[in-house]
Amino acid sequence: MAYKISAADCTGCGACEADCPSKAIRMKGDVYAINPDKCTECVGKFDSPQCVAACPANCISHA
Amino acid sequence: MTRHIIPLDIVAKKTSAPAGAGCAAKSCGTDTAGSDLPPEVWAKVKDHPCYSEQAHHYFARMHVAVAPACNIQCNYCNRKYDCANESRPGVTSERLTPEQAVHKVAAVAARMPQLSVVGIAGPGDALADWRHTFETFDLLSRQFPDIKLCLSTNGLALPDHVDRIRELKVDHVTITINMVDPAVGEDIYAWVFYDHRRHTGREAARILHERQIEGLRRLVEAGILVKVNSVLIPGINDAHLAAVNETVRGHGAFLHNIMPLISDPAHGTRFGLDGRRGPTPAELKQLQDHLGGGARLMKHCRQCRADAVGLLGQDLSQDFTMDRVAGMTVEDRPEERRLYREFVERERLDREQAARVAERGLSAAVTVPPLLVAACSRGGGRVNQHFGHAREFQLYEVDGAGIRFVGHRRADHYCQGGHGEEDKLEAVVKALDGVSVLLAAKIGSCPSDRLKAAGITVITDHAYDYIETAVAAVYRSHRAAAAADGQAMAQAS
Ligand code: SF4
Ligand code: SF4
């Protein structure tokens, strides 16, 4: 399982990328995307998925 | 041949002009030619248009939008749109990598010897996005050691970065502090992302408040000048800003700048959707007057955007978009900047002297109520702009005690809905509410008549004079007229 960014709402700010402990987030064109193979859902690292908590656009949800 | 985007003739005087008055007037804005500041502080602020009311007449700043990420959600911000309150262009605006930012600064510096400061204010938060911010500063300080660096932040991440800020010789930091009480703050902030968690409600405001004050304290300890911006939000923190002023002053903030909330439902912000209005110019002025005693209040702030370029009140960012900048030559001319600074030094002394002369003529037994005078100026502290080109007006209050710069009124804030010349004129009339006299270098007869009808006397006789000289002259003739009226009345009775 992994989290997913809604490209239509992503503002491309990069806040999620900086906070992801798994380096799962990369810029793709003008917006960001999560690599599902790398996303660990932050399990074992943090209580809540960091990208979701950090995203000002609230555009990240469970895939 | 380089084209100078800000023509140096802004300061060219008419040879016949009498010696002018300066903003050195003791009560004018944030500085007084340094006379009440320690020399090391004056050295830091004198060429910074945002920190020194005097400098803003002469020097240009630019912001580079390298920091899109943010770590808090304010109720007056919607990231999709340009945020008028916190210098934040929306996400659709151009965003720069640190390398692009350096190229842009080089392009502007090569064309604008007035450039003295480069700042990072977003479009997110300069310190939430510290990687981009510091990389940019690092590159800039190597390439342009004579240009000052500054940054703006909401303060949440600030305590973690004070050392780096000092190492990079950033000597000015702006913190936006809208409250010093979490009970007030919970109505201003939806959430903060801190220590790997999203916090909401009063807890969010408490964390933000503590981090802001810690950051402020540590910056002051490190000898870095701090300006505090507060957004005046009627019904939420209007009664609270006096407490904010006292607190930030107590912790050593150098300047406090109260900015009006700019709220528009179309921006989709929480406050906009709730129909919360911004303060009127009169409400803003009332608060500034109330806080005036002792606090170094900043009244010349233009709430410029994170990608602004030019003198305050001027935005040439469209002349320096990445597309355009890419094709520009960037031969640096530090010598031109040095010469320009020397020229300003001389010009300032002249103004200062003139100010003393002008103010001496003011005090007299006959006093009349203060007069509010608006001036059209392109810079240099002179009445040198055509009314039709003015996007904002500099406001001065004058009475027997002296001349005080009291702020700006912008016409473009009011005319967003309108189209055509007539609407614009109506917007200007509205923006000039309370003003008795308008000083311009020139004005068309139509607008002049309209202003007259609104009770505003238009005067163009002082074109190219220093503003204070003109204001003092206006006041003298106003007082003479009032005295004559008084005599006539006395004789009639
Ligand atoms: S859930 Fe955690 S690991 Fe997955 S992308 Fe978000 S921050 Fe990275
Ligand atoms: S934090 Fe949200 S808006 Fe910003 S880049 Fe990531 S997904 Fe996009």
Side-chain angles (χ1 to χ4, degrees):
Chain A
M1 284 306 281
Y3 279 82
K4 195 174 166 6
I5 293 172
S6 155
D9 299 313
C10 172
T11 67
C13 74
C16 54
E17 181 199 26
D19 287 299
C20 172
S22 317
K23 295 200 174 356
I25 308 180
R26 279 277 152 78
M27 197 156 206
K28 235 174 109 184
D30 287 341
V31 297
Y32 283 77
I34 296 174
N35 177 346
D37 298 334
K38 285 192 169 180
C39 173
T40 61
E41 301 196 352
C42 292
V43 170
K45 289 241 161 82
F46 299 107
D47 302 346
S48 61
Q50 295 298 287
C51 56
V52 176
C55 174
N58 295 326
C59 68
I60 308 181
S61 55
H62 213 266
Chain B
M1 238 327 269
T2 320
R3 184 168 72 97
H4 286 292
I5 305 286
I6 301 179
L8 285 169
D9 71 349
I10 55 172
V11 283
K13 23 175 161 178
K14 270 194 319 201
T15 43
S16 61
C23 213
K26 62 196 158 305
S27 44
C28 176
T30 55
D31 59 54
T32 65
S35 55
D36 70 335
L37 295 176
E40 68 278 10
V41 175
W42 176 239
K44 280 185 187 169
V45 302
K46 72 185 174 74
D47 297 345
H48 195 307
C50 302
Y51 279 75
S52 156
E53 199 281 321
Q54 269 201 8
H56 97 276
H57 291 290
Y58 301 107
F59 289 104
R61 52 62 179 115
M62 69 183 287
H63 290 167
V64 285
V66 297
C70 194
N71 49 5
I72 70 176
Q73 179 65 57
C74 310
N75 288 335
Y76 49 72
C77 167
N78 176 335
R79 242 152 263 290
K80 297 211 172 189
Y81 295 90
D82 291 2
C83 171
N85 293 294
E86 278 204 278
S87 327
R88 183 182 301 119
V91 292
T92 48
S93 303
E94 184 172 81
R95 223 170 286 161
L96 307 177
T97 63
E99 290 75 22
Q100 287 172 323
V102 172
H103 183 73
K104 182 168 171 174
V105 171
V108 173
R111 285 158 184 79
M112 203 185 273
Q114 296 91 337
L115 185 68
S116 67
V117 182
V118 177
I120 297 180
D125 181 82
L127 294 178
D129 214 335
W130 55 272
R131 294 172 186 83
H132 290 133
T133 297
F134 291 145
E135 191 186 337
T136 306
F137 280 159
D138 205 33
L139 295 169
L140 285 175
S141 60
R142 269 171 234 221
Q143 202 167 329
F144 304 96
D146 64 316
I147 291 183
K148 291 178 192 300
L149 305 175
C150 69
L151 66 87
S152 294
T153 176
N154 60 46
L156 182 64
L158 179 55
D160 304 336
H161 300 294
V162 172
D163 293 339
R164 190 77 192 275
I165 289 170
R166 197 187 38 209
E167 279 161 28
L168 284 166
K169 298 200 169 49
V170 176
D171 49 16
H172 307 85
V173 172
T174 302
I175 316 175
T176 301
I177 299 182
N178 298 320
M179 52 86 201
V180 290
D181 177 355
V184 175
E186 69 181 341
D187 291 331
I188 303 175
Y189 303 100
W191 53 263
V192 309
F193 181 70
Y194 174 67
D195 197 19
H196 303 292
R197 283 189 50 206
R198 184 182 281 206
H199 304 264
T200 57
R202 200 164 292 196
E203 175 67 1
R206 185 190 61 78
I207 294 169
L208 180 62
H209 165 62
E210 283 173 7
R211 298 283 287 175
Q212 287 176 330
I213 299 299
E214 186 189 344
L216 165 59
R217 222 175 22 79
R218 293 193 37 206
L219 285 174
V220 171
E221 267 167 29
I224 295 161
L225 287 184
V226 183
K227 168 158 73 77
V228 170
N229 280 349
S230 297
V231 181
L232 167 57
I233 311 162
I236 291 190
N237 70 353
D238 41 355
H240 179 64
L241 286 181
V244 173
N245 180 266
E246 202 183 314
T247 304
V248 302
R249 221 164 5 122
H251 284 101
F254 173 70
L255 261 182
H256 189 198
N257 173 31
I258 313 261
M259 310 187 297
L261 170 72
I262 298 167
S263 177
D264 181 342
H267 295 161
T269 64
R270 181 75 263 142
F271 286 159
L273 294 173
D274 289 352
R276 195 164 282 288
R277 64 168 183 89
T280 63
E283 284 170 326
L284 179 66
K285 184 167 182 302
Q286 196 190 1
L287 181 69
Q288 287 178 333
D289 287 350
H290 175 65
L291 298 180
R296 231 188 274 275
L297 269 196
M298 172 174 175
K299 295 170 185 160
H300 63 276
C301 174
R302 292 348 195 257
Q303 292 174 292
C304 43
R305 291 160 45 114
D307 55 0
V309 176
L311 286 163
L312 286 188
Q314 176 189 41
D315 188 0
L316 302 174
S317 52
Q318 293 313 310
D319 293 340
F320 292 100
T321 56
M322 229 28 238
D323 290 356
R324 295 193 182 195
V325 165
M328 286 183 187
T329 53
V330 292
E331 194 191 328
D332 189 28
R333 295 180 167 77
E335 182 61 10
E336 275 194 33
R337 287 195 293 276
R338 197 184 60 73
L339 288 174
Y340 182 72
R341 275 172 211 146
E342 278 182 14
F343 160 77
V344 169
E345 219 49 56
R346 289 193 301 274
E347 181 79 2
R348 274 176 155 167
L349 283 178
D350 186 36
R351 265 188 94 191
E352 227 176 281
Q353 223 167 12
R356 269 182 241 123
V357 173
E359 289 222 310
R360 231 177 276 144
L362 289 181
S363 51
V366 195
T367 51
V368 292
L371 204 61
L372 202 55
V373 180
C376 303
S377 176
R378 293 192 286 143
R382 295 174 188 267
V383 181
N384 54 6
Q385 194 174 38
H386 191 298
F387 173 79
H389 299 157
R391 284 172 57 225
E392 61 168 31
F393 304 91
Q394 319 226 2
L395 257 63
Y396 289 79
E397 195 175 65
V398 55
D399 58 19
I403 301 170
R404 293 172 293 279
F405 173 73
V406 292
H408 295 93
R409 297 273 178 86
R410 292 184 65 148
D412 49 352
H413 278 180
Y414 293 85
C415 63
Q416 281 155 355
H419 299 284
E421 290 304 309
E422 261 172 50
D423 286 350
K424 251 189 249 162
L425 188 54
E426 290 315 307
V428 170
V429 168
K430 204 170 147 194
L432 292 179
D433 177 44
V435 169
S436 313
V437 177
L438 177 96
L439 296 165
K442 265 193 177 152
I443 187 169
S445 62
C446 253
S448 176
D449 290 346
R450 176 66 190 90
L451 289 172
K452 225 174 278 168
I456 299 169
T457 309
V458 178
I459 299 178
T460 53
D461 297 349
H462 297 287
Y464 298 97
D465 282 357
Y466 286 120
I467 296 170
E468 288 80 1
T469 309
V471 171
V474 164
Y475 180 72
R476 275 195 302 274
S477 57
H478 171 73
R479 195 175 53 194
D485 274 1
Q487 269 174 8
M489 297 244 288
Q491 278 165 10
S493 63

